[in-house]
Amino acid sequence: MDKNAEIALKLQALRADYAARLPVEIQQLRSLVEHLTKPDPAIQLDALNQLRQRLHKLAGSAGSFGFPELGKQAKKLELQTQAWIDSNQLDLGLVRVFAVAVAALDGLAQNDSPKKTPVVSQLAPLKTNILIYVLEDDQDIADEVCMTLRHFGHQVEHFSTIAAAEAEVLRHPPDFMICDIMFTEEGRETPEAVAIMQQQLPVPIPVIFVSTRTDFDAYHAAVRAGAVGYFVKPLDIIRLVDCFEYYLDRNRSAPHRVLIIDDDLELAEHYKLVLSSADIRAEVINNPREVFEKLQDFHPELILLDINMPGCDGAELAQVIRLNQDWLRIPITYLSSEQDEEKRANAMGRAGDDFLSKPLGDRELVTAVSVRAARSRQLSDALDRDSLTGLLKHSRIKEQVDVELSRAIRSGDSLSLVMLDLDHFKQVNDTYGHPAGDKVIKAIAHLLRQRLRKSDAVGRYGGEEFVAVLPRCGRDEALALMEDVRQRFSEITFTVDQRSFNVTLSVGIAAYREGVARAEQLLQEADAALYKAKAEGRNRICS
């Protein structure tokens, strides 16, 4: 059974369980209403508080489980109980009307006709071998582009005419296209032909156009044909790959991580499953005292926090989280069916960043979380990542070593640490200039991101030195992986002012073993292995 089918069954099971418990929940509400007629004010107040809490929970969850009318009516009744609590006064005539309305909830629970809970997204499996069509009538340029992309592990097919490409694109659509704008011998312009092809495809293909033209009409035509990039000849291959890899990274990047804190575990599990169907990792806790441990272990990019929780409400818990400097950058979005504007404003003023109103539809939940988590990651990346390569900065990659080592110690899983350095890099800068050196650095960064897994962490440790953290990867696996990287990188040809050159790299690998307790020790062992690789002649791997 595939992932989405399994999630669909779990969602349906949750909804069935929820529906089965509704009659019991409504009967408990009716019993509490009877306590409102007791002559003891303490009993009345306790019943009102319990009614408010139960109706609030019902109002927030019913819509998500497919009972929208029941949720709306529960919210009205909740507001009435809150009004009685605020005024400290009960009107027995209104209590009788209230009792009838509570009893009517049972009919809403039976007569609501919810649709089956949908699986929000059908995710295609992540492709590791991207198919690229290169449409270029200049054979020299085509050879250079194709060779470079193949070094990065992609499947590339070249077409020297638009006519040859058209039939193949419709028969077997690629994942990406790189196209020259003008095919002189055919007398055709590619953007017009690509735009026609795009209309016949179920999913548009991202395209990068290359040309000698710099006029507005050329750019405009490229946009209409689905352009995600436009490069002017003479072509900077590494910049083109940079653009191409940017779009690949959006699919290759690790799933967003969201922490859901809600005392309604059933509803929280529903949210978790819906987010999982959209390839978003979610963890759930309902005890505020567990928050520090979960933050330390899970490192969420977004917190969804219910406001109304017993013992420690959401606004208080948000302030608790904000007192810890490590978690200041994590956005906190309140989840609540609370409609009182003053209460919402107070909550927002106490450490919260945003507000989502319950009930939340599945699509609304996924969209809201995706946008907020993506923005959170974008801001974190701006702080944590090297501007040239997009890799983690020195301090952040060291933190990742700490995190993964701690996890390996707890779980007993394997862990490998890789340290690599570009050979004779100073000569590259001295001979070809620093812009050429930047191209080389960006190329190895691209290759590392492309060849490593989503769960791996890669950082720029120094000027031309890099570190990769490979969880659940033993020494032999790491050796095989880095040998592939070393070989592919040595075959990439860089060109500056008609001069071509290649660069090699040296690699040191350290594997976690029992007795290694500090990240610094693992880093020192990888550094020693790297030093050995350089001492033995460079362009090799030592461990």
Side-chain angles (χ1 to χ4, degrees):
M1 183 183 298
D2 65 25
K3 174 185 174 182
N4 282 309
E6 183 179 355
I7 290 172
L9 288 176
K10 288 180 178 178
L11 286 169
Q12 289 172 15
L14 273 178
R15 183 194 169 280
D17 289 344
Y18 185 87
R21 283 197 296 274
L22 278 178
V24 176
E25 177 64 27
I26 293 170
Q27 182 56 49
Q28 290 174 343
L29 290 172
R30 296 177 69 173
S31 297
L32 287 169
V33 172
E34 292 178 3
H35 285 73
L36 297 181
T37 60
K38 304 288 184 182
D40 188 338
I43 294 176
Q44 291 178 342
L45 181 59
D46 180 64
L48 278 174
N49 282 320
Q50 289 192 56
L51 277 168
R52 185 191 61 79
Q53 291 173 7
R54 286 178 175 273
L55 287 166
H56 178 82
K57 187 174 180 180
L58 186 62
S61 63
S64 294
F65 285 104
F67 297 88
E69 295 305 318
L70 175 64
K72 291 176 184 176
Q73 186 62 23
K75 172 52 68 175
K76 293 178 182 178
L77 294 172
E78 179 203 348
L79 294 175
Q80 179 60 70
T81 60
Q82 186 64 58
W84 281 332
I85 292 171
D86 292 341
S87 66
N88 196 26
Q89 184 175 355
L90 272 177
D91 183 323
L92 292 181
L94 284 178
V95 168
R96 285 192 289 270
V97 176
F98 186 85
V100 173
V102 169
L105 294 179
D106 194 52
L108 288 177
Q110 294 178 18
N111 296 329
D112 236 345
S113 301
K115 297 179 181 178
K116 287 185 178 180
T117 306
V119 175
V120 176
S121 64
Q122 300 292 328
L123 296 170
L126 182 65
K127 298 184 67 172
T128 57
N129 190 17
I130 304 299
L131 176 60
I132 307 164
Y133 287 174
V134 176
L135 282 65
E136 175 60 71
D137 56 355
D138 185 321
Q139 191 62 46
D140 291 337
I141 293 178
D143 288 344
E144 185 179 7
V145 171
C146 292
M147 179 181 65
T148 302
L149 291 172
R150 287 184 182 121
H151 285 321
F152 283 99
H154 304 304
Q155 182 184 350
V156 186
E157 294 186 22
H158 171 230
F159 299 90
S160 57
T161 65
I162 298 176
E166 284 173 321
E168 192 63 18
V169 167
L170 297 177
R171 187 186 71 83
H172 188 194
D175 301 295
F176 215 91
M177 291 198 297
I178 298 172
C179 307
D180 195 346
I181 276 190
M182 186 68 198
F183 280 68
T184 307
E185 291 188 8
E186 285 184 279
R188 298 177 66 187
E189 294 190 357
T190 316
E192 181 180 355
V194 170
I196 293 172
M197 285 187 275
Q198 299 277 38
Q199 294 173 4
Q200 302 176 64
L201 294 169
V203 178
I205 300 169
V207 188
I208 291 177
F209 286 100
V210 298
S211 177
T212 57
R213 292 176 57 183
T214 59
D215 57 286
F216 177 84
D217 289 340
Y219 280 85
H220 191 198
V223 167
R224 287 185 167 180
V228 298
Y230 190 103
F231 291 86
V232 178
K233 296 179 180 178
L235 197 57
D236 184 333
I237 298 293
I238 298 302
R239 281 190 61 216
L240 184 148
V241 172
D242 195 22
C243 176
F244 168 71
E245 289 286 335
Y246 169 79
Y247 283 89
L248 290 186
D249 281 346
R250 294 194 302 180
N251 292 323
R252 276 205 303 258
S253 58
H256 293 300
R257 301 180 305 280
V258 179
L259 178 59
I260 303 169
I261 307 175
D262 199 319
D263 64 317
D264 188 339
L265 272 179
E266 191 174 44
L267 181 59
E269 285 297 326
H270 174 88
Y271 290 156
K272 179 179 177 178
L273 286 170
V274 170
L275 293 175
S276 178
S277 76
D279 200 29
I280 297 170
R281 283 189 60 200
E283 293 288 339
V284 172
I285 60 173
N286 73 330
N287 182 355
R289 294 183 179 276
E290 299 174 0
V291 70
F292 287 144
E293 181 181 353
K294 183 60 71 173
L295 287 171
Q296 186 66 44
D297 184 60
F298 186 50
H299 290 270
E301 295 167 296
L302 176 69
I303 295 173
L304 296 181
L305 178 58
D306 188 26
I307 284 185
N308 294 285
M309 295 190 296
C312 177
D313 67 39
E316 291 172 335
L317 184 55
Q319 289 178 290
V320 169
I321 293 170
R322 290 291 185 241
L323 289 177
N324 191 314
Q325 297 293 310
D326 292 339
W327 315 120
L328 283 176
R329 69 168 68 176
I330 304 176
I332 297 174
T333 294
Y334 291 121
L335 279 176
S336 181
S337 59
E338 181 61 66
Q339 294 182 342
D340 187 294
E341 289 188 7
E342 185 174 350
K343 291 181 179 179
R344 289 171 66 127
N346 286 338
M348 287 290 291
R350 295 167 65 188
D353 300 291
D354 206 349
F355 207 106
L356 290 174
S357 295
K358 294 179 180 178
L360 275 173
D362 293 351
R363 190 173 298 280
E364 182 185 3
L365 173 68
V366 169
T367 301
V369 167
S370 297
V371 169
R372 288 162 175 79
R375 182 60 176 162
S376 171
R377 180 174 293 184
Q378 185 180 27
L379 291 173
S380 288
D381 284 350
L383 295 171
D384 297 339
R385 294 188 179 272
D386 172 63
S387 59
L388 179 64
T389 64
L391 303 181
L392 292 173
K393 293 178 180 178
H394 179 97
S395 59
R396 294 300 290 172
I397 192 62
K398 287 189 70 175
E399 287 179 13
Q400 280 301 116
V401 180
D402 268 320
V403 169
E404 294 301 340
L405 178 59
S406 298
R407 186 171 290 141
I409 292 172
R410 290 196 308 271
S411 66
D413 288 339
S414 55
L415 170 68
S416 291
L417 181 67
V418 175
M419 190 171 287
L420 61 91
D421 189 86
L422 299 174
D423 296 329
H424 304 298
F425 186 70
K426 184 176 184 301
Q427 293 182 14
V428 173
N429 282 332
D430 292 345
T431 305
Y432 302 100
H434 287 278
D438 287 349
K439 288 183 182 180
V440 174
I441 287 174
K442 289 170 73 172
I444 185 58
H446 288 317
L447 187 58
L448 289 169
R449 284 203 305 268
Q450 199 274 329
R451 302 310 294 170
L452 301 186
R453 303 163 301 175
K454 289 195 294 183
S455 58
D456 300 329
V458 191
R460 188 178 181 190
Y461 204 63
E464 65 271 16
E465 194 171 36
F466 301 83
V467 165
V469 188
L470 313 179
R472 294 174 297 281
C473 181
R475 185 188 305 272
D476 291 342
E477 295 172 281
L479 281 168
L481 176 62
M482 296 314 300
E483 176 58 28
D484 175 70
V485 170
R486 186 198 64 79
Q487 181 65 33
R488 288 178 183 275
F489 186 70
S490 68
E491 294 172 354
I492 296 176
T493 299
F494 300 93
T495 303
V496 176
D497 297 331
Q498 309 301 316
R499 295 179 295 170
S500 298
F501 64 97
N502 298 84
V503 180
T504 60
L505 53 85
S506 299
V507 182
I509 297 176
Y512 165 70
R513 65 188 186 283
E514 190 173 348
V516 175
R518 296 183 303 109
E520 196 61 38
Q521 183 179 349
L522 210 55
L523 284 163
Q524 288 173 357
E525 291 180 8
D527 189 50
L530 173 61
Y531 181 82
K532 180 181 178 183
K534 286 186 168 295
E536 291 182 0
R538 295 183 169 84
N539 191 23
R540 66 193 64 220
I541 302 173
C542 288
S543 63

